[in-house]
């Protein structure tokens, strides 16, 4: 669902026809309730970001190129960068560079907007170091680890948040 220019929400569900062992689908299938399980942030020049991560004590397998063709025939090509070595799990985003492809928010169902997004964590300093290293600066407050977003739509505002523990990872290391 589109959440305004440059933002979108991806709703995930496991595919019962596939083996879920060791997949993101297994994580989703194991949730007790709907939950925010991770996030991604726009990245640029992912090769350069990957090159500077070891100097910040972080790890990455390097950018991974991906592509697919939508049912309407539009070909999409993007790169993603997972970040590890930090111990904050899915509180740290993976980075995505949509390159020359249209951003998903442009074609996703409209009608919603992102009002607020933030992270809570007991150790703000450690997480802030990681986020600074990848040049991503969401609002971070003290509290039990979690992600939260407030979304506005035709029926009013609603809150999405992490239910239970933050996943160790959703993508990457």
């Amino acid at each position: 669902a589109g959440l305004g220019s440059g933002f979108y929400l991806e709703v995930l569900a496991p595919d019962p026809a596939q083996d879920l062992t060791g997949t993101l689908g297994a994580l989703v299938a194991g949730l007790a309730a709907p939950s925010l399980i991770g996030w991604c942030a726009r990245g640029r020049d992912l090769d350069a970001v990957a090159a500077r991560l070891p100097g910040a004590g972080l790890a990455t397998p390097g950018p991974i190129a991906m592509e697919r063709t939508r049912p309407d025939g539009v070909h999409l090509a993007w790169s993603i960068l997972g970040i590890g070595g930090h111990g904050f799990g899915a509180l740290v985003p993976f980075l995505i560079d949509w390159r020359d492809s249209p951003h998903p928010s442009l074609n996703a169902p409209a009608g919603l907007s992102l009002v607020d997004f933030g992270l809570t964590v007991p150790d703000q300093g450690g997480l802030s170091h990681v986020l600074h290293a990848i040049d991503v600066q969401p609002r971070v407050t003290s509290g039990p680890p979690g992600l939260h977003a407030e979304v506005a739509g035709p029926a009013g505002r609603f809150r999405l948040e992490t239910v239970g523990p933050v996943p160790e990872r959703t993508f990457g290391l």
Side-chain angles (χ1 to χ4, degrees):
L3 297 177
S5 179
F7 298 100
Y8 65 101
L9 174 67
E10 214 170 305
V11 179
L12 304 174
D15 180 350
Q18 293 186 6
D19 178 16
L20 301 180
T21 306
T23 69
L24 184 57
L27 179 121
V28 173
L31 294 172
S35 179
L36 286 180
I37 61 167
W39 63 297
C40 70
R42 181 176 290 165
R44 301 233 194 296
D45 195 358
L46 298 184
D47 288 317
V49 175
R52 73 174 185 256
L53 290 180
L58 301 170
T60 181
I64 300 169
M66 304 180 89
E67 62 181 290
R68 74 176 179 93
T69 301
R70 296 189 325 212
D72 63 3
V74 173
H75 184 76
L76 303 173
W78 66 96
S79 295
I80 54 178
L81 183 68
I83 297 128
H86 49 73
F88 291 102
L91 292 175
V92 174
F94 66 90
L95 301 180
I96 188 166
D97 182 351
W98 284 100
R99 301 189 326 226
D100 294 329
S101 294
H103 191 276
S105 66
L106 300 174
N107 299 306
L112 301 175
S113 62
L114 183 64
V115 176
D116 183 42
F117 176 78
L119 315 171
T120 56
V121 64
D123 175 12
Q124 288 186 45
L127 180 60
S128 293
H129 165 77
V130 175
L131 296 173
H132 179 74
I134 61 172
D135 198 24
V136 174
Q137 299 301 315
R139 187 170 48 78
V140 180
T141 56
S142 292
L147 306 163
H148 60 271
E150 186 174 349
V151 176
R157 292 182 176 203
F158 58 96
R159 184 175 170 91
L160 303 167
E161 59 191 3
T162 304
V163 176
V166 173
E168 288 186 32
R169 68 179 184 94
T170 55
F171 178 81
L173 300 171

